[in-house]
Amino acid sequence: MPQVHHVTHPLVQHKLTLMRMKDSSSNSFRTLLNELAALMAYEVTRDMPVVDVEIETPMETMHSPMIDGKKLTFASILRAGNGMIDGLLSVVPNARVGHVGLYRDPATLQAVEYYFKMPADMEERDVIVVDPMLATGNSAAAAVTKIKSTKPRSIKFLCLLAAPEGIRTLHEAHPDVPIYTAAIDRGLNDHGYIVPGLGDAGDRILGRDRSP
Protein backbone atom coordinates (compact mmCIF):
# COMPACT_ATOMS: atom_id res chain seq x y z
CA MET A 1 0.00 0.00 0.00
CA PRO A 2 2.33 2.74 -1.23
CA GLN A 3 -0.13 5.50 -0.35
CA VAL A 4 -0.35 4.46 3.33
CA HIS A 5 2.25 5.96 5.66
CA HIS A 6 2.42 4.07 8.96
CA VAL A 7 3.87 6.35 11.65
CA THR A 8 5.82 4.00 13.92
CA HIS A 9 7.76 6.46 16.06
CA PRO A 10 8.02 5.03 19.63
CA LEU A 11 6.45 8.13 21.20
CA VAL A 12 3.47 7.89 18.86
CA GLN A 13 2.98 4.20 19.58
CA HIS A 14 3.38 4.69 23.35
CA LYS A 15 0.77 7.45 23.52
CA LEU A 16 -1.61 5.51 21.29
CA THR A 17 -1.39 2.53 23.65
CA LEU A 18 -2.35 4.78 26.56
CA MET A 19 -5.32 6.10 24.57
CA ARG A 20 -6.54 2.59 23.79
CA MET A 21 -6.88 1.68 27.49
CA LYS A 22 -10.56 1.62 28.45
CA ASP A 23 -9.91 3.14 31.87
CA SER A 24 -8.17 6.25 30.50
CA SER A 25 -10.04 9.35 31.68
CA SER A 26 -11.59 11.79 29.22
CA ASN A 27 -9.03 14.39 30.26
CA SER A 28 -6.14 11.99 29.62
CA PHE A 29 -7.68 10.95 26.31
CA ARG A 30 -7.98 14.55 25.12
CA THR A 31 -4.45 15.40 26.25
CA LEU A 32 -2.96 12.37 24.55
CA LEU A 33 -4.92 13.07 21.38
CA ASN A 34 -3.48 16.58 21.19
CA GLU A 35 0.04 15.30 21.86
CA LEU A 36 -0.32 12.60 19.21
CA ALA A 37 -1.67 15.06 16.66
CA ALA A 38 1.34 17.32 17.24
CA LEU A 39 3.77 14.42 16.83
CA MET A 40 2.07 13.20 13.67
CA ALA A 41 2.06 16.73 12.25
CA TYR A 42 5.80 16.39 11.75
CA GLU A 43 5.30 13.31 9.55
CA VAL A 44 2.38 14.55 7.48
CA THR A 45 4.13 17.88 6.74
CA ARG A 46 7.54 16.34 6.03
CA ASP A 47 7.39 17.16 2.31
CA MET A 48 5.88 20.63 2.59
CA PRO A 49 7.52 23.05 0.14
CA VAL A 50 9.75 25.77 1.55
CA VAL A 51 11.14 29.00 0.17
CA ASP A 52 14.35 30.81 1.03
CA VAL A 53 13.78 34.14 2.73
CA GLU A 54 16.27 36.79 3.72
CA ILE A 55 16.58 37.33 7.48
CA GLU A 56 18.85 39.15 9.90
CA THR A 57 20.56 37.09 12.57
CA PRO A 58 22.36 38.85 15.44
CA MET A 59 25.50 38.35 13.37
CA GLU A 60 24.62 38.95 9.72
CA THR A 61 22.12 38.69 6.88
CA MET A 62 21.39 35.24 5.50
CA HIS A 63 18.90 33.24 3.46
CA SER A 64 17.02 30.51 5.32
CA PRO A 65 14.04 28.20 4.50
CA MET A 66 10.50 28.91 5.68
CA ILE A 67 7.10 27.40 4.99
CA ASP A 68 3.99 29.45 4.38
CA GLY A 69 1.62 28.12 7.01
CA LYS A 70 -1.17 30.29 5.62
CA LYS A 71 -1.24 28.04 2.56
CA LEU A 72 -1.93 24.94 4.71
CA THR A 73 -5.46 24.00 5.77
CA PHE A 74 -6.44 21.42 8.36
CA ALA A 75 -9.91 20.15 7.43
CA SER A 76 -11.60 18.61 10.46
CA ILE A 77 -14.28 15.97 9.96
CA LEU A 78 -16.76 16.80 12.70
CA ARG A 79 -17.01 16.01 15.48
CA ALA A 80 -13.99 13.93 16.49
CA GLY A 81 -11.59 15.66 14.09
CA ASN A 82 -11.74 18.78 16.24
CA GLY A 83 -9.96 16.87 18.99
CA MET A 84 -6.78 16.90 16.87
CA ILE A 85 -6.83 20.50 15.69
CA ASP A 86 -5.17 22.15 18.70
CA GLY A 87 -2.28 19.70 18.56
CA LEU A 88 -1.77 20.33 14.86
CA LEU A 89 -1.96 24.10 15.28
CA SER A 90 0.66 23.93 18.03
CA VAL A 91 3.09 22.86 15.30
CA VAL A 92 1.75 24.99 12.41
CA PRO A 93 0.01 27.91 14.14
CA ASN A 94 -0.56 29.91 10.95
CA ALA A 95 -2.49 27.15 9.21
CA ARG A 96 -6.15 27.72 8.39
CA VAL A 97 -8.93 25.42 9.61
CA GLY A 98 -11.95 24.11 7.70
CA HIS A 99 -14.80 21.87 8.84
CA VAL A 100 -16.77 19.09 7.19
CA GLY A 101 -19.86 18.00 9.12
CA LEU A 102 -20.76 14.37 8.47
CA TYR A 103 -22.64 11.75 10.44
CA ARG A 104 -22.84 8.05 9.78
CA ASP A 105 -26.31 6.70 9.12
CA PRO A 106 -26.62 3.83 11.63
CA ALA A 107 -28.61 1.69 9.22
CA THR A 108 -26.54 2.08 6.06
CA LEU A 109 -23.19 3.21 7.58
CA GLN A 110 -23.10 5.80 4.78
CA ALA A 111 -21.99 9.39 5.38
CA VAL A 112 -24.58 12.17 5.45
CA GLU A 113 -23.33 15.77 5.11
CA TYR A 114 -24.78 18.53 7.30
CA TYR A 115 -22.07 21.23 7.29
CA PHE A 116 -19.21 22.41 5.07
CA LYS A 117 -16.97 25.45 5.54
CA MET A 118 -13.50 25.98 4.06
CA PRO A 119 -11.17 29.00 3.89
CA ALA A 120 -11.07 31.20 0.80
CA ASP A 121 -8.65 30.71 -2.07
CA MET A 122 -8.53 26.93 -1.75
CA GLU A 123 -6.82 26.70 -5.15
CA GLU A 124 -3.64 27.93 -3.43
CA ARG A 125 -3.85 25.61 -0.43
CA ASP A 126 -2.63 22.17 0.61
CA VAL A 127 -5.23 20.35 2.70
CA ILE A 128 -4.77 17.79 5.46
CA VAL A 129 -8.09 16.10 6.26
CA VAL A 130 -8.24 15.13 9.92
CA ASP A 131 -10.26 12.43 11.69
CA PRO A 132 -9.02 10.15 14.51
CA MET A 133 -10.62 7.05 12.95
CA LEU A 134 -10.69 5.67 9.42
CA ALA A 135 -13.28 2.93 9.92
CA THR A 136 -15.63 2.17 7.00
CA GLY A 137 -14.00 5.00 5.05
CA ASN A 138 -17.36 6.33 3.86
CA SER A 139 -17.12 9.61 5.77
CA ALA A 140 -13.50 10.11 4.74
CA ALA A 141 -14.28 9.48 1.07
CA ALA A 142 -17.28 11.81 1.18
CA ALA A 143 -15.25 14.54 2.89
CA VAL A 144 -12.44 14.31 0.35
CA THR A 145 -14.93 14.39 -2.53
CA LYS A 146 -16.47 17.59 -1.14
CA ILE A 147 -13.07 19.19 -0.51
CA LYS A 148 -11.90 18.31 -4.02
CA SER A 149 -14.75 20.43 -5.38
CA THR A 150 -12.84 23.47 -4.02
CA LYS A 151 -9.82 22.47 -6.17
CA PRO A 152 -6.99 22.57 -3.58
CA ARG A 153 -3.37 22.01 -4.62
CA SER A 154 -3.15 18.73 -2.72
CA ILE A 155 -4.98 16.59 -0.16
CA LYS A 156 -3.71 14.19 2.51
CA PHE A 157 -5.66 12.22 5.10
CA LEU A 158 -4.47 12.00 8.72
CA CYS A 159 -5.87 9.61 11.35
CA LEU A 160 -4.81 7.71 14.46
CA LEU A 161 -6.35 4.35 13.60
CA ALA A 162 -7.27 2.82 10.26
CA ALA A 163 -9.11 -0.37 9.38
CA PRO A 164 -8.21 -2.21 6.16
CA GLU A 165 -11.80 -1.71 5.01
CA GLY A 166 -11.50 2.08 5.42
CA ILE A 167 -8.17 2.21 3.63
CA ARG A 168 -9.66 0.25 0.74
CA THR A 169 -12.77 2.47 0.52
CA LEU A 170 -10.77 5.71 0.57
CA HIS A 171 -8.23 4.45 -1.96
CA GLU A 172 -10.89 3.18 -4.33
CA ALA A 173 -12.59 6.58 -4.28
CA HIS A 174 -9.42 8.69 -4.16
CA PRO A 175 -6.27 6.77 -5.11
CA ASP A 176 -4.31 10.04 -5.23
CA VAL A 177 -4.82 10.83 -1.53
CA PRO A 178 -2.10 9.48 0.80
CA ILE A 179 -3.10 8.22 4.25
CA TYR A 180 -1.05 8.85 7.39
CA THR A 181 -1.95 6.69 10.39
CA ALA A 182 -0.43 5.53 13.67
CA ALA A 183 -1.94 2.03 13.41
CA ILE A 184 -3.72 -0.31 11.02
CA ASP A 185 -6.02 -2.46 13.14
CA ARG A 186 -7.54 -5.85 12.44
CA GLY A 187 -10.85 -4.72 10.96
CA LEU A 188 -14.43 -3.71 11.75
CA ASN A 189 -17.09 -5.31 13.94
CA ASP A 190 -20.74 -5.70 12.98
CA HIS A 191 -21.46 -2.11 13.99
CA GLY A 192 -18.68 -0.63 11.87
CA TYR A 193 -16.32 0.10 14.77
CA ILE A 194 -12.59 -0.53 14.50
CA VAL A 195 -11.33 -3.53 16.50
CA PRO A 196 -9.38 -3.75 18.70
CA GLY A 197 -9.59 0.03 18.28
CA LEU A 198 -10.13 2.48 21.12
CA GLY A 199 -13.91 2.84 21.17
CA ASP A 200 -15.79 5.86 19.85
CA ALA A 201 -13.23 8.68 19.71
CA GLY A 202 -15.89 11.40 19.70
CA ASP A 203 -17.62 10.00 22.78
CA ARG A 204 -14.35 9.58 24.64
CA ILE A 205 -13.31 13.15 23.85
CA LEU A 206 -16.63 14.42 25.25
CA GLY A 207 -16.70 12.04 28.24
CA ARG A 208 -19.73 10.11 27.07
CA ASP A 209 -20.40 6.38 27.03
CA ARG A 210 -17.23 4.73 25.70
CA SER A 211 -18.66 1.28 24.96
CA PRO A 212 -19.96 1.15 21.36
Side-chain angles (χ1 to χ4, degrees):
M1 294 182 287
Q3 285 285 74
V4 178
H5 302 266
H6 187 189
V7 182
T8 59
H9 192 286
L11 281 174
V12 169
Q13 296 303 314
H14 172 80
K15 292 178 184 295
L16 179 57
T17 295
L18 294 176
M19 289 184 68
R20 289 183 187 269
M21 295 178 179
K22 67 178 182 180
D23 56 352
S24 292
S25 69
S26 296
N27 183 54
S28 294
F29 190 90
R30 288 191 293 268
T31 299
L32 288 163
L33 181 56
N34 272 311
E35 292 173 350
L36 262 174
L39 290 170
M40 295 185 72
Y42 289 97
E43 292 297 325
V44 75
T45 60
R46 182 179 293 274
D47 60 352
M48 284 185 64
V50 297
V51 294
D52 277 346
V53 298
E54 185 176 289
I55 63 170
E56 289 279 350
T57 77
M59 306 301 294
E60 63 183 35
T61 300
M62 68 170 290
H63 284 83
S64 191
M66 289 188 70
I67 62 171
D68 185 355
K70 295 179 181 179
K71 296 296 177 65
L72 179 65
T73 295
F74 296 121
S76 169
I77 298 180
L78 301 174
R79 60 190 169 167
N82 279 358
M84 299 176 69
I85 292 297
D86 284 347
L88 294 167
L89 290 176
S90 70
V91 178
V92 194
N94 289 329
R96 299 297 189 256
V97 177
H99 296 91
V100 185
L102 298 166
Y103 70 87
R104 186 169 61 176
D105 186 292
T108 65
L109 302 184
Q110 297 299 307
V112 180
E113 179 188 327
Y114 64 89
Y115 184 79
F116 184 76
K117 184 70 172 179
M118 289 290 137
D121 305 320
M122 287 293 288
E123 297 86 353
E124 302 176 4
R125 301 184 184 278
D126 298 302
V127 179
I128 298 174
V129 185
V130 180
D131 195 343
M133 318 293 280
L134 179 58
T136 64
N138 294 325
S139 293
V144 171
T145 296
K146 186 70 175 181
I147 292 168
K148 277 187 173 181
S149 69
T150 68
K151 303 187 184 304
R153 292 192 306 191
S154 69
I155 301 177
K156 297 176 181 177
F157 187 88
L158 175 64
C159 61
L160 298 186
L161 298 182
E165 296 91 331
I167 291 173
R168 183 167 56 250
T169 297
L170 184 53
H171 273 175
E172 287 177 353
H174 303 286
D176 57 320
V177 175
I179 297 168
Y180 290 76
T181 184
I184 301 173
D185 277 14
R186 184 173 71 250
L188 303 177
N189 65 13
D190 292 340
H191 300 286
Y193 286 93
I194 297 175
V195 288
L198 49 72
D200 187 303
D203 283 350
R204 296 192 69 180
I205 290 169
L206 298 173
R208 297 175 181 170
D209 178 19
R210 298 177 298 188
S211 301

